[in-house]
Structure formats: structure tokens, C-alpha cells
Amino acid sequence: MPNLDSKIVLVTGGARGMGACHARNFVDAGARVVIADVLDDEGRSTASELGENALFVHLDVSSEQSWTDAIEAARSHFGSVTSLVNNAGIELAAPLHETPVEQWDKVIDVNLKGVFLGIKAVIPDMLSAKSGSIVNIGSGAGLIGYENMSAYTSTKAGINGLTKTAAIEYGKHGIRVNALHPGIVQTPMLKDTMDSNADLKQILNDSVKFQAIGRMGETNEISEVISFLLSDRASFVTGVSLPVDGGLILGRATPLA
Ligand SMILES: NC(=O)c1ccc[n+]([C@@H]2O[C@H](COP(=O)([O-])OP(=O)(O)OC[C@H]3O[C@@H](n4cnc5c(N)ncnc54)[C@H](O)[C@@H]3O)[C@@H](O)[C@H]2O)c1
């Protein structure tokens, strides 16, 4: 396991799903972790399970003021944030021409503007420290296309451009910025998506069936790679767009009979 001993990691969307698993993994690796989410009850309960090295703060990633408040709360409890995982996200399943503009805007605000605001919020302390590591969570769906997911795939594709540009701007200051694209992983978000749209459920099940590694991912399989990217073992890795997806985007494999 990579060593995150001296790290203070803020993980957005850390109350449940993959984010909660990431938080657990970071604490196990020695980090102090700030779980930041809009889900106050679940966030507090996840943090309290992890003990004194975890703190919950309320954060709406789409609000710049909320970021200012969360970073200040983290700083006064643990110190300056050294590492950020922009994991919070929402999904929207609808045909493009039936996607209401307000819902499109909401997905962009959380999934893409939220990542921009997160980077903007942590960079001043990282510049002072001349070090830092940021991991932005995209999606395999943003590296290809997915029927009925135009808003979601657009935000996840946008994360690539943001990540590469931030990596170029801040590499000279000792700050690394990478993007990690999970494949299909069983979480509350995936369940909601599958329950809300039968066509998309079929598409996702087919994706898994014809993947090189023909099963869904486990949350821990994503957390392990993020821990590596945050750690000093990844000191020469920046600007990558890394799928951790069981081969989702490779093309179809024939399943074993
Ligand atoms: N589950 C998958 O198959 C899958 C695949 C690829 C990528 N992803 C991405 O992984 C990340 C985690 O997804 P998950 O499956 O664990 O979903 P999830 O719904 O279980 O967790 C997402 C978390 O983000 C939080 N969140 C939502 N809006 C927020 C806001 N405005 N401010 C702060 N927090 C907010 C939610 O409250 C929740 O705790 C997301 O970015 C998602 O797009 C998921």
C-alpha cells in the first residue's frame, strides 16, 4: 500500500459510494482525510466510522463560497490540504433532445465546474507548499460515448482538458494533476441510473458482459489506484488520463461460454 502518512486529503462526494471507500483507503494508508459532501448525515457517519483521522465538512462543489468555507474548516482542523480528490458527481439519464436545460446545467455545475472550483480552491496553499497532488474522477463513459448520457459524458470528457491544462500550469510548482476514469462500479449512483432507465440498464449490463474483464469493478479497485497517484511513488506522473475500467473502452471481447 502506498504511504500517505504526511498527507491531508480532501475527497469530495466522500459520504457514500466510491468516495467513502477512497476515504477509508486513505486513512488506512496513514492520511488525515476530509470528507466533503452535501449529504450531512451520511458524511458524518462515514467520518465517525473512520475515527479521529477523518473529518466531515459540508461542501456543495458547485459553490465557490462553499469551497472557501470547506477549505478553511479543513485547515483549522488538520492544516492545509495537500491532496484533493474531485470525486463528487451526479448522473442524468435522458435522450439528448429530452434533456431539460436546467438539468444539463446542474450536471455541468457539479461534475465540471465543481472540479474547476476545487482545483482553484486548493491551489494557493499548494503553491505556498510547492507540492500537491490532485486526482479528478472522470468516467470511462467520458472517453467514449454513451446513449442517453449526453450531459454526463460531456462533463467527464471535459475533465480531461481541465486536468491536462492544470497539469501544465502547475507542474513547475511541484503540483501534479491527474484524471482517473472508473469503469462500471456497483454504487448507489449506478443503482439509481439502472433503476431509472431500462434501456441504459441493458446497455450497461452489455458493456460489462463484453468487457475484457467481464465483471463490474469493486470500489476498492479504484481507491487503490488513486492512493498510488496521490502518493510520492507517483512523483513523475502528471496529466495522465487513466482508465481503471476492466477494459470497458477497449472494444468487445467474446465472453467465455
Ligand atoms: N459508479 C460508477 O459506475 C461510476 C463509473 C464511472 C465514474 N463514476 C464517477 O465516480 C464518482 C463517484 O460516483 P459513485 O458511483 O460513488 O456515486 P454516488 O452517487 O454513490 O456518490 C457520489 C457522491 O457525490 C456527492 N455529491 C453529489 N453532488 C454533490 C455536490 N454538489 N457537492 C458535493 N458532493 C456532491 C453525493 O452526495 C454522493 O455522496 C462520480 O464522479 C461518478 O461520476 C462512477
Side-chain angles (χ1 to χ4, degrees):
M1 177 181 285
N3 183 347
L4 299 179
D5 263 352
S6 55
K7 312 292 187 200
I8 298 168
V9 186
L10 188 148
V11 52
T12 69
R16 69 174 196 189
M18 274 193 261
C21 183
H22 304 335
R24 195 165 297 116
N25 203 283
F26 304 153
V27 167
D28 289 348
R32 281 164 291 164
V33 176
V34 181
I35 292 170
D37 206 298
V38 284
L39 295 179
D40 294 338
D41 291 344
E42 284 181 67
R44 277 196 202 97
S45 135
T46 302
S48 82
E49 278 168 31
L50 297 181
E52 64 184 13
N53 286 328
L55 168 76
F56 172 74
V57 299
H58 181 88
L59 170 69
D60 174 356
V61 294
S62 64
S63 154
E64 189 159 30
Q65 184 59 51
S66 190
W67 270 105
T68 305
D69 297 345
I71 294 295
E72 187 46 46
R75 192 187 288 117
S76 63
H77 192 83
F78 285 139
S80 296
V81 169
T82 66
S83 322
L84 170 67
V85 181
N86 278 311
N87 163 79
I90 56 174
E91 214 164 42
L92 173 62
L96 189 153
H97 68 283
E98 292 173 9
T99 300
V101 172
E102 306 72 42
Q103 289 191 30
W104 166 276
D105 286 347
K106 170 85 178 155
V107 177
I108 302 281
D109 276 357
V110 174
N111 292 8
L112 189 55
K113 188 170 108 183
V115 174
F116 156 69
L117 290 175
I119 297 172
K120 195 176 170 199
V122 298
I123 282 290
D125 281 348
M126 290 184 178
L127 286 173
S128 301
K130 298 186 174 57
S131 75
S133 177
I134 298 171
V135 176
N136 300 323
I137 303 302
S139 169
L143 298 173
I144 46 178
Y146 254 91
E147 202 173 334
N148 294 330
M149 291 178 76
S150 56
Y152 183 79
T153 55
S154 300
T155 59
K156 296 303 189 178
I159 281 174
N160 271 325
L162 189 54
T163 298
K164 288 178 197 304
T165 300
I168 293 171
E169 288 188 27
Y170 300 113
K172 56 175 108 32
H173 300 289
I175 301 163
R176 297 181 296 102
V177 188
N178 291 293
L180 182 147
H181 303 283
I184 298 167
V185 181
Q186 192 65 63
T187 66
M189 173 189 280
L190 186 72
K191 183 176 181 319
D192 290 348
T193 306
M194 286 188 156
D195 289 349
S196 70
N197 189 304
D199 291 344
L200 194 47
K201 180 176 183 177
Q202 183 65 46
I203 290 168
L204 289 166
N205 280 331
D206 281 352
S207 294
V208 171
K209 184 173 171 191
F210 294 109
Q211 251 171 219
I213 299 173
R215 62 168 173 81
M216 288 193 190
E218 304 285 337
T219 53
N220 200 48
E221 292 177 300
I222 311 300
S223 308
E224 294 274 352
V225 183
I226 301 175
S227 286
F228 166 72
L229 288 172
L230 292 183
S231 78
D232 296 339
R233 286 193 195 175
S235 52
F236 206 47
V237 183
T238 198
V240 301
S241 175
L242 179 65
V244 183
D245 68 349
L248 172 73
I249 66 162
L250 293 177
R252 283 162 75 104
T254 312
L256 289 174

